[in-house]
Amino acid sequence: MTRQSGSDFAEQQRVTLLPHCSVLGIDPARRTLLTSQGSFPYGQLVLATGASAVRPEIPGSEHLVTLNSQQEYQASETALRDA
């Protein structure tokens, strides 16, 4: 998992990060994103909406650790380090 803050990553990668911002609409003709924080022109657009882990039905799957959030990582960090 990352040890870098979202704002540090955004600065390093030259991307705009808008956490907790609702998308109200997308105008593809004008290449504009309409949000709760205003309108933004875009060249490339990524909408990261989250994910859920899928646990395969295989023997031993009860031992799998999913890491879909910083909270899940922090809860498992010691066990992972000691494994």
Side-chain angles (χ1 to χ4, degrees), residues 26-60:
I26 300 171
D27 185 340
R30 291 190 173 100
R31 298 181 69 99
T32 303
L33 183 68
L34 311 169
T35 78
S36 59
Q37 295 183 20
S39 297
F40 299 92
Y42 65 87
Q44 296 179 328
L45 179 63
V46 175
L47 299 175
T49 61
S52 297
V54 176
R55 290 182 177 270
E57 294 183 22
I58 58 173

Side-chain angles (χ1 to χ4, degrees), residues 4-69:
Q4 188 176 31
S5 71
S7 59
D8 287 344
F9 176 83
E11 182 179 339
Q12 181 183 54
Q13 298 299 316
R14 298 185 322 239
V15 298
T16 302
L17 179 64
L18 301 171
H20 313 290
C21 177
S22 299
V23 174
L24 305 175
I26 300 171
D27 185 340
R30 291 190 173 100
R31 298 181 69 99
T32 303
L33 183 68
L34 311 169
T35 78
S36 59
Q37 295 183 20
S39 297
F40 299 92
Y42 65 87
Q44 296 179 328
L45 179 63
V46 175
L47 299 175
T49 61
S52 297
V54 176
R55 290 182 177 270
E57 294 183 22
I58 58 173
S61 64
E62 69 275 9
H63 301 291
L64 292 175
V65 176
T66 61
L67 301 174
N68 284 340
S69 69

Side-chain angles (χ1 to χ4, degrees), residues 19 28 76:
S76 303

Side-chain angles (χ1 to χ4, degrees), residues 1 3 65-67 69-83:
M1 292 296 285
R3 298 274 185 204
V65 176
T66 61
L67 301 174
S69 69
Q70 291 289 351
Q71 292 78 14
E72 284 183 351
Y73 176 73
Q74 289 170 352
S76 303
E77 188 172 15
T78 300
L80 292 169
R81 185 177 36 247
D82 294 344

